[in-house]
Each structure stands twice: as C-alpha cells, then as structure tokens.
Amino acid sequence: MQMTRRTPRDVNRSFGKLIVVAILIATTALSLFPLFWMLSTAITPGSATIKTPPSLIPLPTGLLGAGTDLPAWIRERAYSPTLENFHELSTQTQGNIWRWLGNSAIVAISITVFHVLFDSMAGYAFARKTFPGRNLIFGLLLSTLMIPVQVTLVPNFLLISRLDLADSYLGVILPGFADVFGIFLMKQYMQTLPREIEDAARVDGANEWQVFWRIVLPLAKPAVATLAIFMFMRSWNNFLWPLIVLRTGAKYTLPVGVATLQGEFSTNVGLIMAGAAVAAVPMIVFFLLFQRYFLGGIRIGALKG
Amino acid sequence: MARALPLEHVTARRPSGRRTRWREYRTGYLFVLPSLAMFVIFLFGPVIWSLLLAFQDASLTRRDWNGLDNFRTLASDRVFRKSLVNTAIYAAVTVPVHMLVALVLAGMMKPLAARWQTFFRAAYYLPAVTSVVILATVWRWMFNPRFGAINQMLDLGPVAWLSRPNLALWAVILSAVLTIPAAGVVMYSAAMGSIPEDLYEAASLEGAGAVRQWWDITIPLLKPTSLYLIVMYTIWAFEVFERVYIMTGGGPAYATTTIVQLIFDTGFRDWDYGVASAQAIVLFVIVAMVSAVQFRLFRSEVEY
C-alpha cells in the first residue's frame, strides 16, 4: 500500500469538509425538530407534556421504575411512551378525528384521480392534436398561473353556495380542478413520446379514446405518477378552501379539524399534537415510499417548500 | 417554454380531407373540454365576478354598485395598511433568507456523494410534505410561554412570543425562517449538478480559487434558477396565510394580520364580499408588479 503524505492543504480540506458535514447535519436536525417535538408530545402521557425540563426521551416503563440507576438528567427528561392521547382525542372528538382522516382521504383521492384523468386528456390534445385556437387556449390556461388563488375565493364560495354545495365534499373538490400545472406537465411529457406506436394502433383500428387510454396513458406513467403524488399531497394539505366551504364538524378534512382542536383543547397540548400527528404521519409515510417522485416533482417546480 | 415547439409543426401531419380534419379537431376539443369547462366555471368566471364585486357594495343581503368606494375605504383603512406592511416585512425577511440558505446548503451538498445528497434533500423536504397547518400548530406549541421548546431551550423565562404585539410578527417570521427552504435546496442542487465540470477545471488551470469560481461561474450560471426561486418565494410570502391563522389568528391587535388573513376575515367573518374582493385585487396587482420587477432585474441570457 502506498502511503500518501498529508500536506497541510489536505488537512485543511478535510477539516473544511468536516465543518460542512457538521453544518448539514445541524440543519437537518433543525429541519426535523418540529416533527420530532410533535410526535414526542403526542406520545407523552398527559401530565408529562407540561413540565420543566421538557419530556424528550421516550423510555420503556420498566427502565423508569424505582431501583434503576439512570442519571438524573435523563430521568428528568424521560417519559414512558403511550397512546393515551390518541384514545383521549378519539373520545373527546366523538371519533371525529378518524372521520376527518377518512374525509381527507376521500377528498384527496377524488381530486387526484380526476385531475390526473382530465390533465392527461388535455395534455394529450395539446401535445398531439391540431385544432383551431389550440395555442390560444393553452396560453390562456397558462396565464392563470399569474392569478393568486385568493382572488377567486369569494366568487367561488358564492358559486358553490348557489349550487347548494356548501358544506359538502363536492364543494371542496370541484374548484380544485381549475389548475394548469398538470396539463402543462402532461403536455411536455407526451411531446417526448414517439408517435409511431400511436399511429400503429390507429392502423390496427383503435379509436382515439383507445389510443389515448391504452397506448399514451401507460407510456406516460412516470409523468402520471409525479402528477398524482403532487395532487394528492396538495389536496391532503389544502386548508383555506375547505375551511371556507365546510361548516359541520364531522365533515372537516384533517387540517381544518386539527386547526379547531387548538381552540377546544388549548390546555391539553398532548391531544392537539396527537391530532397533528394523525394528519402528518400518512404524508410522511407516503413521502418515504415515493421519495424519488417527490424530488422529481420539486425539480420541475411543482411542489412548495 | 409555453409556446408549441416549432418541430411539432414539421412532424404534425396535416389532416387531408375536410371530414378527417374535422374529426381531428373534434377529438382535440373533446379531450380539452373537461379541463376547459372547469377553468371557465371555477376560474375565469370567478375572476371576472371578483372584478365586478370589487366595485359593489356586496354582502350576504345587499348588492349595489358603489364605484370606487371599496378602494377608497381600503386607502384610508388602517388595518389594511397594517396588513400590507406586515406582509411586506414578512416577505422582505423570509425571501432573502430562504434564497441564501437554499444556495449555501446546496453549495455545501455539492461535493458530497450522491446518496448523501439524496439523504439531505429528503431530510430537508420531509417537513414540507406535511401541511403548513400542522407545522404551524407545532410552532405555536414551541412558542408556548411556559412549556414551549423555544423558551425552555433558550432559558428565557416565560416570554409570551405570540401575544406581545411587538414580538408576534417576529415569532411568525422566525418560524418561517427556521424552516429549511427545501424546494430551493433541491432546485439549486439540481442546477449546480448540471454546470459542466470543465468550466471549473479551466478556471482552476487559470489560477482561480474556490471563491472566485463560486462568484464567476456558479452564481451567474444559477441565475435562471435564482429568478424562478425568488419569484416563487416572493409569491408564497405575499400569500402567507396558514402560518398566521394558526399561530396568532392575525392578532394581537392586528400585529400579525397579513393580506390573505385580512381577505379571509373581511370575506368570511364580516361577510363583506365587496371589500374582500377589492383587497384580493390589490394583492393580485402587488404580486404581479413584484414579479415583473424581479423578472426585469434577474433576466439573463445565460446559456451553457
């Protein structure tokens, strides 16, 4: 093995690298701390949530009992994790917390499915079909990116009320479809697909719908996955519009419901954090499963953060 | 970017007979129709409606044209002015900090191995997949005067961050600033990865040090990404709502009321549709103007 001499410059460099990694790790900790604090509070027994120093170290009950020789600084900060906050939350909200979970799922899945369908159809037409006004319509749709969504809140609320859809899932779902991002994404992606397969299918007698449904859509799977994840995350987390439309507690989506917990249980932080965890954990799991699509989605400018 | 690629006109086969051409048109229209209908009903229509409402005295029961009265009301409304100032302060602090943090972190990640880059990107992005509502709920708890993480860690005693008028806005801003701008990190690090390595090699050969390379190669070549990010972060900052609604509800004494919080209060608590629409239009104009200025300042013809 050959020995390499470490010059002062090398030492400097590896020292620099150490600092860089230290900063990155510190910022990672900072970034994850709120989530950690939320989950930690959610599984802390009620009485231990409000004390000094804060309970931060979950330990099995056995270790906390008398006769174990834990250092005092650990013992002061330790707690035995429990799900009692979740049970309590469930009873106190009369099961609404789980209803909100279901509502969020219904709303997010409906928006995702129909958005992906409509957007790929429109994207296909803009990418492949020629028709008078095509570029004008596409330009008009793209120009909506400039319009802050808040401009449409009042009129959309009046519209939804007139359609008798206030306080309904449909009222939450429908206005979400006026969003150009997915159309743009699908158009860009479909333009890169080879035309020959579509033409071959047409020669074999497939009609336009079959070409789209059986050939183009399966080929566009990566774009469909990115779009679906984007839409799901956005509608799962959406707050302002459901807050305006929904009135009945049992119909709330998770963000709206969790926001009301603050007013109701202001003294019981464990319950509020348990509610927050119910809303956060599904998205976190979802992210860990489909990470690469998320990161792809950010790169094309789809996701906030 | 938005225009159809010229290549397409070359490859698109012009439909021959009149009937086949009409069939092609019809397919196109039918495929666009569902989306277009949604846009007309829930976006184009409402935008026009909103413009009309802005010039009306409109509430749950009344509906009358009142010319520019709503805008006059806003011009002399102290709360509205306060909301503009609060939003401007929020944007003026958070946007530069987000940009800088994103740039520096992406730069630090660059020399690392690919899997470490992926790890850090994911770790930064993880909080962003949860709703701002959830994060703001946690932040409110962290700012709790007696038992919150902030006061306990800083050992400050019971500082009531969110209920003191001179602190509340800064607490909200702090919560935003301490959130890693994950989208920025990811976009910057993707852009840095696509800068050709030989540019740096050439610069090294000519004796340019790391700092010089950073200023003369990395920063200029990142300009398009910077433009995109600054415009997006500014828009998001001007539209800040959830964070404020959850952490303070706009209080105390309007100390943290932002434009969107005020639109919400005016429209859906006071049910004054006319004034709420006028406020929304002011927001629209501000966002459009700020984006236009940023485009002009940052536009560049860099290609590599």
Side-chain angles (χ1 to χ4, degrees):
Chain A
M1 204 166 79
Q2 200 182 347
M3 287 286 282
T4 42
R5 270 185 47 214
R6 287 168 69 89
T7 63
R9 203 177 149 167
D10 286 336
V11 174
N12 243 339
R13 192 167 280 176
S14 56
F15 182 65
K17 200 169 175 183
L18 201 69
I19 292 186
V20 164
V21 171
I23 294 177
L24 289 173
I25 289 173
T27 46
T28 304
L30 175 72
S31 160
L32 296 178
F33 183 74
L35 292 181
F36 167 74
W37 182 248
M38 170 189 81
L39 293 173
S40 166
T41 310
I43 57 169
T44 305
S47 55
T49 50
I50 40 171
K51 73 175 190 43
T52 316
S55 313
L56 281 175
I57 309 166
L59 286 178
T61 328
L63 273 176
L64 283 173
T68 52
D69 40 42
L70 285 169
W73 68 272
I74 290 186
R75 187 184 290 280
E76 279 172 356
R77 287 169 178 79
Y79 63 92
S80 56
T82 161
L83 291 178
E84 74 181 42
N85 287 326
F86 292 89
H87 290 299
E88 178 82 4
L89 180 64
S90 184
T91 340
Q92 296 266 3
T93 59
Q94 285 145 9
N96 269 352
I97 182 76
W98 310 118
R99 242 165 257 141
W100 298 337
L101 186 68
N103 297 344
S104 276
I106 292 172
V107 167
I109 290 171
S110 324
I111 291 184
T112 305
V113 168
F114 283 97
H115 231 301
V116 168
L117 179 66
F118 291 173
D119 289 351
S120 3
M121 285 169 64
Y124 173 64
F126 286 124
R128 284 290 197 262
K129 302 290 162 196
T130 44
F131 49 91
R134 182 184 71 168
N135 292 347
L136 179 77
I137 297 173
F138 188 65
L140 206 60
L141 296 187
L142 266 191
S143 72
T144 61
L145 283 174
M146 303 256 309
I147 302 169
V149 65
Q150 291 79 11
V151 172
T152 61
L153 287 180
V154 167
N156 266 337
F157 176 71
L158 294 174
L159 179 65
I160 288 297
S161 309
R162 266 186 213 185
L163 295 172
D164 210 13
L165 291 174
D167 201 21
S168 75
Y169 299 140
L170 209 53
V172 177
I173 293 168
L174 280 177
F177 289 123
D179 177 79
V180 74
F181 167 73
I183 299 176
F184 180 71
L185 174 73
M186 296 314 291
K187 172 184 185 271
Q188 295 298 95
Y189 192 82
M190 285 171 176
Q191 273 171 346
T192 68
L193 298 176
R195 276 165 186 272
E196 288 74 20
I197 312 174
E198 292 161 51
D199 289 338
R202 275 191 201 98
V203 171
D204 288 345
N207 64 30
E208 287 300 328
W209 177 257
Q210 288 166 330
V211 170
F212 166 74
W213 188 251
R214 298 229 187 109
I215 312 289
V216 177
L217 207 52
L219 283 176
K221 229 183 209 164
V224 167
T226 302
L227 178 59
I229 279 167
F230 165 66
M231 283 302 163
F232 185 81
M233 168 176 149
R234 219 183 46 166
S235 23
W236 182 274
N237 289 339
N238 195 12
F239 178 64
L240 181 50
W241 180 246
L243 175 71
I244 290 171
V245 174
L246 299 173
R247 293 269 170 268
T248 316
K251 289 184 185 167
Y252 286 165
T253 56
L254 271 170
V256 180
V258 170
T260 64
L261 294 180
Q262 277 194 147
E264 250 168 281
F265 309 114
S266 55
T267 50
N268 197 337
V269 169
L271 295 194
I272 300 172
M273 290 302 119
V278 172
V281 167
M283 270 327 292
I284 292 174
V285 172
F286 192 60
F287 173 73
L288 294 176
L289 288 177
F290 298 106
Q291 221 196 89
R292 66 198 176 99
Y293 292 105
F294 273 88
L295 296 174
I298 305 165
R299 224 164 286 145
I300 52 170
L303 303 176
K304 275 197 186 190
Chain B
M1 177 172 77
R3 300 253 170 77
L5 298 168
L7 181 70
E8 195 183 350
H9 292 294
V10 182
T11 50
R13 295 154 308 131
R14 287 266 150 223
S16 41
R18 207 190 223 171
R19 182 175 291 170
T20 37
R21 199 185 306 159
W22 168 240
R23 279 240 310 263
E24 164 115 358
Y25 292 170
R26 195 188 57 182
T27 318
Y29 288 128
L30 284 177
F31 272 82
V32 171
L33 189 67
S35 294
L36 194 60
M38 291 296 173
F39 271 88
V40 170
I41 300 170
F42 295 110
L43 214 138
F44 295 127
V47 167
I48 295 168
W49 196 348
S50 189
L51 277 170
L52 299 178
L53 281 168
F55 300 98
Q56 290 175 1
D57 175 17
S59 71
L60 286 173
T61 48
R62 284 164 298 143
R63 183 91 21 116
D64 274 311
W65 294 97
N66 67 353
L68 288 170
D69 280 4
N70 293 337
F71 292 95
R72 270 187 218 116
T73 310
L74 290 185
S76 59
D77 182 5
R78 285 187 44 214
V79 175
F80 182 63
R81 215 171 305 156
K82 181 89 182 150
S83 79
L84 291 180
V85 173
N86 288 341
T87 313
I89 294 176
Y90 180 87
V93 178
T94 58
V95 175
V97 173
H98 281 339
M99 296 291 293
L100 196 68
V101 171
L103 184 63
V104 169
L105 288 181
M108 285 178 155
M109 278 160 59
K110 198 181 170 231
L112 301 183
R115 69 200 153 101
W116 284 108
Q117 292 198 28
T118 312
F119 167 79
F120 284 117
R121 270 182 220 142
Y124 292 144
Y125 203 73
L126 189 62
V129 303
T130 56
S131 168
V132 179
V133 173
I134 304 307
L135 293 176
T137 307
V138 181
W139 275 102
R140 189 180 149 132
W141 161 225
M142 300 217 296
F143 276 117
N144 179 292
R146 285 189 61 200
F147 305 108
I150 304 276
N151 285 346
Q152 299 223 25
M153 278 195 298
L154 302 181
D155 211 4
L156 283 178
V159 180
W161 294 87
L162 298 174
S163 40
R164 297 231 316 243
N166 54 346
L167 279 184
L169 182 63
W170 295 102
V172 172
I173 289 174
L174 189 66
S175 80
V177 162
L178 288 180
T179 307
I180 305 289
V185 175
V186 173
M187 293 196 69
Y188 265 138
S189 78
M192 282 177 188
S194 65
I195 298 177
E197 210 44 54
D198 43 341
L199 286 179
Y200 294 106
E201 279 160 25
S204 290
L205 285 179
E206 292 185 11
V211 176
R212 201 46 215 287
Q213 292 182 18
W214 175 261
W215 279 113
D216 288 353
I217 302 175
T218 313
I219 301 282
L221 289 183
L222 289 178
K223 229 173 164 186
T225 313
S226 300
L227 168 64
Y228 175 82
L229 285 175
I230 201 171
V231 170
M232 294 320 288
Y233 277 128
T234 308
I235 292 177
W236 293 336
F238 271 94
E239 296 179 359
V240 60
F241 170 71
E242 281 97 336
R243 192 177 290 283
V244 172
Y245 178 88
I246 297 292
M247 286 178 72
T248 63
Y254 303 107
T256 56
T257 300
T258 59
I259 303 179
V260 178
Q261 171 77 46
L262 189 62
I263 294 173
F264 176 79
D265 289 346
T266 314
F268 302 100
R269 194 194 58 198
D270 308 340
W271 307 106
D272 191 338
Y273 298 142
V275 173
S277 298
Q279 289 165 342
I281 289 188
V282 173
L283 172 69
F284 182 16
V285 172
I286 292 175
V287 168
M289 279 187 340
V290 173
S291 316
V293 170
Q294 288 171 336
F295 260 99
R296 187 141 297 188
L297 289 178
F298 269 74
R299 193 174 42 193
S300 69
E301 279 78 42
V302 174
E303 300 226 354
Y304 53 91

